[in-house]
């Protein structure tokens, strides 16, 4: 006869177990144990990723760095806290895995604010490569071609790659040279803004070509921000001008 295994905090009562105020039969014990373990795990709070500061540091001695980055040396924790109080600064643990841990005297509130601003600027300047797609037909109308070309020009100015797809239908599949000539024409029309990164290739019923921009994404984003700032400055000057000048303008 196999021994009966009772999960933690499960009290057997004549073949029935009480879990979290509910009565369950022995066949439901695995599910009940999972729910119980989940409840125990959810009791704890999230683990903080922030460094320990001041009284939260629990080591006998630390390697202290001064406010200007100078090396003070290994000092007792009490002495480091005294120096922090004397300079009216915080004692921040910057290298917890070192032996002894490295702590620095700094204004922790100012440090957090500057770190948040740097992260924000980094996200603002971060550029993601995006591949736009434009689909054409071999016998496209001239006005539709101009519209499609305008979209391709806009994408290249933004620093994005453009995937051009020529879709063949029916008897058009026997005339791939029509799509090839159309792709070559489009590449020549936008050669000032982009280059052919991937030459035209037949892919089933489609012919595909990829255009890459001459301008990098970061440069395009910087120019867009400068243009937006210039427009805002122009509107601000117009609003600050006297009513007579605005009327004359």
């Amino acid at each position: 006869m196999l021994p009966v295994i009772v999960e933690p905090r499960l009290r057997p009562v004549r073949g029935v177990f009480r879990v979290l105020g509910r009565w369950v039969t022995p066949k439901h014990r695995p599910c009940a144990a999972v729910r119980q373990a989940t409840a125990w795990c959810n009791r704890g709070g999230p683990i903080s990723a922030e460094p320990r500061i001041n009284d939260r540091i629990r080591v006998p001695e630390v390697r202290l760095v001064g406010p200007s980055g100078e090396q003070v040396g290994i000092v007792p924790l009490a002495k480091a806290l005294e120096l922090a109080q004397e300079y009216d600064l915080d004692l921040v643990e910057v290298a917890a895995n070192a032996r002894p841990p490295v702590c620095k005297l700094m204004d922790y509130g100012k440090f957090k604010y500057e770190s948040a601003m740097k992260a924000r600027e980094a996200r603002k300047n971060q550029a993601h490569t995006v591949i736009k797609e434009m689909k054409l037909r071999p016998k496209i109308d001239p006005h539709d071609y101009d519209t499609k070309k305008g979209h391709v020009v806009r994408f290249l100015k933004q620093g994005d790659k453009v995937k051009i797809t020529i879709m063949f239908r029916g008897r058009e599949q026997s005339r791939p040279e029509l799509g090839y000539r159309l792709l070559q024409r489009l590449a020549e029309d936008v050669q000032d803004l982009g280059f052919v990164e991937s030459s035209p290739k037949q892919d089933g019923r489609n012919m595909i070509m990829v255009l890459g921009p001459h301008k990098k994404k970061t440069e395009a984003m910087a120019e867009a921000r400068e243009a937006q700032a210039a427009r805002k400055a122009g509107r601000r000057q117009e609003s600050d001008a006297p009513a007579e000048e605005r009327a004359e303008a």
Side-chain angles (χ1 to χ4, degrees), residues 36-229:
Q36 180 70 73
T38 304
W40 291 342
C41 293
N42 291 336
R43 289 179 181 178
I47 299 176
S48 176
E50 295 185 357
R52 295 184 296 182
I53 63 173
N54 298 331
D55 296 336
R56 297 181 181 178
I57 303 174
R58 303 294 185 182
V59 291
E61 58 184 13
V62 298
R63 185 180 299 277
L64 186 63
V65 180
S68 302
E70 67 276 11
Q71 297 289 335
V72 179
I74 299 176
V75 299
L77 178 61
K79 179 63 175 177
L81 292 174
E82 289 181 6
L83 291 175
Q85 188 174 5
E86 179 180 347
Y87 284 104
D88 193 20
L89 296 173
D90 299 310
L91 182 66
V92 183
E93 188 179 49
V94 294
N97 296 329
R99 292 292 178 269
V102 180
C103 297
K104 185 177 181 180
L105 298 175
M106 66 174 72
D107 186 347
Y108 187 59
K110 181 179 179 181
F111 170 76
K112 286 186 64 177
Y113 174 76
E114 292 177 351
S115 300
M117 294 300 295
K118 289 180 181 178
R120 182 180 178 184
E121 290 294 327
R123 289 194 299 270
K124 182 186 297 184
N125 296 327
Q126 189 176 8
H128 299 280
T129 302
V130 180
I131 299 180
K132 305 290 186 177
E133 185 174 8
M134 189 61 58
K135 295 183 178 181
L136 308 176
R137 295 293 302 275
K139 299 178 180 179
I140 187 172
D141 185 79
H143 297 288
D144 294 339
Y145 173 81
D146 293 338
T147 302
K148 301 278 188 177
K149 185 181 70 173
H151 292 314
V152 174
V153 169
R154 176 166 54 87
F155 295 149
L156 293 175
K157 285 183 177 180
Q158 294 174 355
D160 297 325
K161 296 181 180 181
V162 187
K163 175 183 176 183
I164 311 297
T165 303
I166 303 295
M167 301 180 298
F168 297 96
R169 296 294 182 267
R171 296 181 180 180
E172 295 175 348
Q173 300 180 45
S174 61
R175 302 289 302 278
E177 65 276 6
L178 296 178
Y180 183 82
R181 286 199 294 265
L182 182 60
L183 292 176
Q184 290 295 325
R185 174 188 172 188
L186 181 60
E188 293 176 359
D189 291 342
V190 299
Q191 61 182 352
D192 295 338
L193 300 174
F195 61 95
V196 178
E197 185 174 289
S198 178
S199 300
K201 296 179 181 179
Q202 189 76 25
D203 184 13
R205 296 184 177 182
N206 301 328
M207 183 175 288
I208 298 173
M209 180 182 68
V210 178
L211 296 175
H214 291 310
K215 190 182 302 181
K216 294 183 179 180
K217 184 72 173 181
T218 52
E219 297 176 359
M221 293 172 59
E223 291 182 2
R225 286 196 296 268
E226 292 177 359
Q228 184 178 5

